[in-house]
Amino acid sequence: MLQALIAFGGTEVSAGVLTDALWPDSEGDAAYHALETTLFRLRQLLGTRDAVRMQRGKVSLSRDQLWVDMWQVEEELRRTHNQEVNSIEKIGRLRFLYQGHFLENETEKPWILKARQELRDRLLRAIRDAARECEHARRWEDAANLYGSAIEIDSLNEGLYRGLMLCHQQLGDHSEALQAYGRCRELLKHFLGVPPNEKTQALYHSVRERAAHVSVGSES
């Protein structure tokens, strides 16, 4: 129940939402009784009745008495979103808080997958925004580090690899850009059975041509 409460936001979660998620095969009265029993046990486990409240058919966790890493990530994301500059320091705090995907070792129930995907997407969006701000400021190394951090979270996202390749290209590190493409290609082939898309392949060929041009220029 604690996992479900957190996944559904932790505040004023409808009893019906919880029973549908946790006891989908139970009838109405039986499911509600299971909810009440589980709620009683959860309060005992947490050591205080006030940590979980149920009022007018809605269940809430007390943010004054409980610390949840997901809530801290969401708070940092809101703070980052409201600031004009997404600094590397803020992204560093997010990465420190985000130690892994939401309930990644639990059974992949639909409500777990939904919460996991939404939180991951918001984090990736914040990192991409910070990387693009670095690109606009021509801070290519900082942008490359941010793209690398995002790839650690989503290793099959081609857009992140393209961003990383462009940064290395701007830095003159053509070999690093080509290696990034190679990692992208191998992972896509291994996990999805597909090659990189046309945009990624076009960038790869562009990097190769520029690397060859630089090599010829240095020899002459």
Side-chain angles (χ1 to χ4, degrees):
M1 176 180 281
L2 183 59
Q3 293 175 346
L5 282 169
I6 295 171
F8 288 117
T11 304
E12 294 192 339
V13 182
S14 166
V17 169
L18 289 171
T19 54
D20 288 345
L22 299 174
W23 303 282
D25 299 324
S26 298
E27 298 294 335
D29 291 342
Y32 193 80
H33 177 69
L35 174 68
E36 290 182 318
T37 302
T38 305
L39 180 60
F40 174 77
R41 291 173 179 169
L42 178 58
R43 286 168 172 160
Q44 287 186 315
L45 180 65
L46 295 175
T48 172
R49 178 181 178 81
D50 293 337
V52 190
R53 301 184 303 275
M54 183 169 177
Q55 296 178 330
R56 297 185 296 276
K58 294 184 178 181
V59 185
S60 299
L61 295 171
S62 172
R63 292 180 179 253
D64 295 330
Q65 300 186 49
L66 300 173
W67 186 95
V68 178
D69 55 358
M70 182 176 176
W71 292 348
Q72 296 302 117
V73 171
E74 291 174 334
E75 178 62 29
E76 192 66 42
L77 283 168
R78 284 191 291 270
R79 187 179 299 116
T80 299
H81 179 72
N82 292 332
Q83 297 284 340
E84 291 186 3
V85 178
N86 292 323
S87 70
I88 294 175
E89 181 181 348
K90 290 173 186 172
I91 298 302
R93 288 199 297 269
L94 279 167
R95 290 296 286 117
F96 175 78
L97 289 167
Y98 192 92
Q99 295 293 315
H101 300 313
F102 178 67
L103 299 179
E104 61 183 338
N105 296 319
E106 299 296 325
T107 303
E108 295 189 339
K109 296 171 181 167
W111 48 271
I112 291 180
L113 292 175
K114 183 174 183 294
R116 181 187 301 165
Q117 185 70 41
E118 288 178 351
L119 186 64
R120 185 180 69 172
D121 287 349
R122 290 176 63 194
L123 176 59
L124 288 173
R125 194 177 307 120
I127 299 176
R128 279 198 304 265
D129 289 345
R132 287 166 183 164
E133 288 172 4
C134 289
E135 289 176 333
H136 291 321
R138 303 189 67 81
R139 292 160 50 198
W140 302 111
E141 187 170 351
D142 288 336
N145 289 335
L146 286 165
Y147 280 120
S149 177
I151 288 171
E152 291 176 0
I153 299 171
D154 186 358
S155 62
L156 299 177
N157 188 316
E158 286 190 63
L160 298 176
Y161 286 101
R162 288 196 298 273
L164 181 60
M165 290 169 67
L166 283 168
C167 290
H168 284 310
Q169 186 179 52
Q170 291 292 332
L171 289 166
D173 296 333
H174 298 102
S175 62
E176 289 290 337
L178 295 175
Q179 287 179 29
Y181 173 82
R183 291 196 299 274
C184 176
R185 181 183 58 194
E186 290 175 6
L187 288 171
L188 289 175
K189 180 179 179 181
H190 180 74
F191 289 102
L192 302 179
V194 299
N197 63 33
E198 292 181 0
K199 287 184 179 180
T200 309
Q201 291 188 44
L203 178 57
Y204 164 71
H205 291 300
S206 174
V207 173
R208 281 194 63 184
E209 289 175 6
R210 185 169 298 188
H213 178 74
V214 170
S215 177
V216 171
S218 63
E219 289 176 0
S220 59

